[in-house]
């Protein structure tokens, strides 16, 4: 059993900052890509940022220069530092991890339960 638990969402004013965290636990042999996605009401889920185990990162154009993704491999945790938040960043943010549960198993995608981020004055 693998579980991803997120924290750090909330309500913030435009221009403010939030930091999301997501920790993976359970039967884990190796974690490959970790990332954050978001889904606003009435819209499809979209990629926000990803980070490989070696540290390479990728960002959606809409968040470049404002958001920063990082990870602690020893703690199986990924972070998303969100600065200069805008109302259009309002969404449910989901953590994702590509995990191999054992040496002989396949790599599968796992998702957190989601955390609400609301940006409003």
């Amino acid at each position: 059993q693998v579980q991803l638990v997120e924290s750090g969402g909330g309500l913030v004013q435009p221009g403010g900052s939030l930091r999301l965290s997501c920790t993976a636990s359970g039967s884990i042999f190796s974690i490959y890509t970790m990332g954050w996605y978001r889904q606003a009401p009435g819209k499809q889920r979209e990629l926000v940022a990803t980070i490989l185990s070696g540290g390479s990162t990728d960002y959606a154009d809409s968040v470049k220069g404002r958001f920063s993704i990082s990870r602690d491999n020893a703690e199986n945790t990924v972070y998303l530092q969100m600065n200069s938040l805008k109302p259009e960043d309002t969404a449910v943010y989901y953590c994702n991890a590509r995990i191999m549960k054992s040496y002989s198993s396949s790599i599968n995608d796992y998702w957190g339960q989601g955390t609400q981020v609301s940006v409003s004055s």
Side-chain angles (χ1 to χ4, degrees), residues 21-94:
S21 300
C22 171
T23 298
S25 62
S27 178
I28 297 172
F29 176 74
S30 185
I31 302 179
Y32 296 87
T33 308
M34 300 187 83
W36 292 93
Y37 291 71
R38 67 186 181 186
Q39 187 166 18
K43 295 187 177 182
Q44 290 188 330
R45 189 174 297 189
E46 64 176 2
L47 170 71
V48 176
T50 59
I51 183 168
L52 302 181
S53 57
S56 296
T57 59
D58 190 29
Y59 296 91
D61 288 342
S62 60
V63 307
K64 283 181 181 176
R66 301 187 297 122
F67 290 11
S68 178
I69 189 171
S70 60
R71 66 189 279 177
D72 182 336
N73 291 329
E75 298 294 330
N76 292 339
T77 298
V78 62
Y79 304 96
L80 185 68
Q81 178 66 43
M82 304 185 292
N83 299 326
S84 302
L85 282 160
K86 304 175 181 179
E88 50 263 44
D89 294 319
T90 295
V92 178
Y93 283 69
Y94 295 92

